[in-house]
Structure formats: C-alpha cells, structure tokens
C-alpha cells in the first residue's frame, strides 16, 4: 500500500483511453489529481476530466497515445 504518492493509470479499450489519477491525502495540498488527469486527457484528445483533489478520471478517443498521456502526467508532476 502506498503511504505517500501519486498513482496514474491508463487503460485502452476499443481504441479509447481511460485515465485515473490518485493522490494520497498528504500531497493534495501540493498536487491535484484533477490537474494531472486533465494534462493526460489533453494528450489523448479528451476535453476535460474531473473528480476530487485526491482522485480524478478522464478519457479520450486516442488510445494509441496512452504512454504519451502518462508522460504528460509525469511532466506535470515535475513542474
């Protein structure tokens, strides 16, 4: 179990991507799951995403860009 951290998952089905980002409670004052999932959604052609600061989801039609979506989430964390 994660004590502190961020988890980002991308699943692809029928060519469409689904993204989920989770942020542990101790980090939500610094990192928002909504902001991270929106960064990933933009890469896969999604137009938004939402949820709570600790858990958010989004999707998009370009499932072939799943790895690029994870890379975008990682880049958003680094900035």
């Amino acid at each position: 179990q994660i004590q502190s951290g961020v988890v980002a998952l991308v699943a692809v089905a029928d060519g469409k991507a689904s993204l989920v980002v989770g942020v542990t409670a101790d980090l939500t004052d610094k990192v928002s799951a909504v902001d991270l999932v929106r960064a990933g959604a933009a890469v896969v052609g999604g137009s938004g995403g939402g949820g709570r600061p600790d858990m958010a989801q989004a999707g998009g039609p370009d499932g072939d860009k799943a790895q690029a979506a994870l890379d975008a989430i990682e880049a958003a964390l680094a900035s």
Side-chain angles (χ1 to χ4, degrees), residues 2-66:
I2 293 179
Q3 299 298 314
S4 178
V6 175
V7 175
L9 302 171
V10 179
V12 178
D14 298 323
K16 297 178 183 177
S18 297
L19 296 84
V20 176
V21 175
V23 177
T24 56
D26 64 313
L27 297 177
T28 56
D29 59 334
K30 299 175 187 173
V31 179
S32 171
V34 175
D35 294 340
L36 296 177
V37 83
R38 287 181 178 167
V43 174
V44 295
S47 61
R52 303 181 312 264
D54 66 330
M55 181 71 67
Q57 62 183 2
D62 299 328
D64 58 330
K65 297 180 182 175

